[in-house]
């Protein structure tokens, strides 16, 4: 455009029109409120990274805020901003497509931390995903769920008559099962190898986890670990010292219906039976890492038989696999659950958290635990129609054979 001659006045209306147009664009959302540009005008993607200062960046996504505003302006009911916010973060994390990568708001995070410490209120059942179905890994020993008849490897089809929805993650299901102490919840479950489902009503109660139990009979220590909680390594080490002082000749390590817990606990407990610095498990993800036994090998010279079943998962599978690979331990029972992924717990600034899958577990010989599980040396099923404990009886037989060699 040629320059305006000196002394010639610019058209005033034209200038005012341009100013008004600019103002209208501004008010329309070009840089108003949360929008960088209206989502409808984006040529390719509604996600844009905008630098705030060096070393930092801010994600500006107008489609999100458009939806937020429309909900507030047009939704017929009340809108809770807190629920919208945490729901959005939860959806972000679940979109990763991994059932074990989950977001928990501050209240859920507090419940999780209480659970892992060993005392909480609920029905006492650990769940996981198998073939797209919510599956019971194991009911905790003596819990309301176990007493009501919930079994390992049960598929949960509905809660209080409402089916499990495909979009629900494991934390969503847990939230529906939880409730005040003394209240009841009805689960519709399909037992393994049965054709029709059953409804089980369970009264919620405070769950106290006794993670280590032991009895010694005829020189054999039957040591049961029901979960790997924060206090489990110390409890088990104390029991191992007691067994050693009693002069036990052999050990039956019972990991049935043990849904897992802390990795560190699994490594320390495996170390009770292994030479120091023995590989217990390897972690393979972006980086590879080996975890070695530590602590006192109190029972490394005693023959050992390990009991496992479909309710043995995670840390329990790590211990079973390590003892099978490094001690040649005989595993009696049924194939384990196959929960061999590594979740890292990340606490966020507001008290919420993310549990994120960062790697997978492999036994010392290189076997993947995830999905495949740990196969028993000797397959024995427990007949629920009899009071006998067939897998335990067979484990005792195997141990007596080892003691005679």
């Amino acid at each position: 455009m040629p320059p305006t001659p000196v002394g010639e006045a610019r058209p005033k209306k034209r200038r005012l029109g341009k100013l008004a147009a600019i103002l209208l664009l501004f008010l329309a959302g070009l840089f108003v409120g949360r929008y960088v540009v209206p989502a409808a005008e984006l040529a390719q993607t509604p996600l844009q990274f905008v630098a705030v200062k060096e070393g930092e960046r801010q994600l500006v996504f107008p489609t999100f805020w458009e939806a937020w505003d429309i909900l507030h302006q047009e939704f017929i009911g009340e809108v809770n901003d807190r629920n919208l916010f945490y729901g959005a973060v939860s959806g972000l994390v679940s979109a990763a497509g991994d059932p074990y990568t989950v977001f928990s708001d501050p209240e859920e995070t507090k419940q999780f931390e209480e659970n892992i410490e060993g005392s909480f209120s609920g029905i006492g059942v650990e769940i996981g995903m198998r073939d797209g179905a919510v599956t019971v890994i194991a009911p905790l020993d003596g819990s309301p769920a176990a007493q009501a008849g919930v079994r390992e490897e049960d598929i949960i089809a509905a809660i209080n008559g409402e089916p499990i929805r495909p979009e629900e993650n494991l934390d969503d299901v847990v939230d529906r099962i939880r409730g005040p102490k003394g209240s009841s919840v009805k689960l519709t479950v399909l037992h393994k190898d049965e054709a029709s489902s059953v409804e089980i009503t369970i009264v919620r109660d405070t769950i106290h986890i006794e993670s280590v139990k032991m009895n010694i009979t005829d020189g054999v220590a039957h040591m049961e670990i029901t979960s790997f909680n924060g206090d489990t390594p110390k409890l088990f080490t104390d029991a191992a010292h007691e067994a050693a002082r009693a002069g036990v000749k052999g050990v039956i390590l019972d990991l049935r219906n043990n849904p897992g817990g802390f990795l560190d606990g699994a490594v320390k407990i495996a170390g009770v039976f292994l030479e120091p610095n023995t590989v217990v498990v390897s972690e393979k993800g972006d980086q590879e890492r080996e975890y070695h036994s530590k602590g006192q090998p109190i029972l490394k010279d005693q023959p050992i038989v390990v009991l496992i079943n479909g309710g043995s998962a995670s840390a329990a599978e790590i211990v079973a696999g390590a003892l099978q690979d490094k001690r040649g331990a005989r595993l009696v029972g049924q194939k384990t659950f196959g929960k061999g992924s590594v979740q890292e717990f990340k606490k966020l600034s507001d008290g919420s958290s993310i549990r994120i899958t960062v790697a997978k577990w492999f036994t010392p010989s290189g076997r993947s635990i995830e999905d495949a599980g740990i196969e028993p040396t000797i397959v024995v099923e427990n007949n629920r129609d009899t009071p006998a404990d067939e897998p335990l009886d067979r484990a005792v037989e195997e141990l007596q054979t080892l003691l005679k060699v």
Side-chain angles (χ1 to χ4, degrees), residues 319-331:
V319 173
L323 296 181
Q324 187 178 45
D325 286 355
K326 291 300 184 179
R327 279 284 307 266
R330 298 181 185 181
L331 309 187

Side-chain angles (χ1 to χ4, degrees), residues 108-126:
E108 294 166 340
T109 299
K110 183 179 178 182
Q111 287 180 339
F112 173 78
E113 291 176 323
E114 289 173 352
N115 291 359
I116 208 69
E117 286 302 316
S119 179
F120 60 97
S121 182
I123 66 170
V125 67
E126 183 83 10

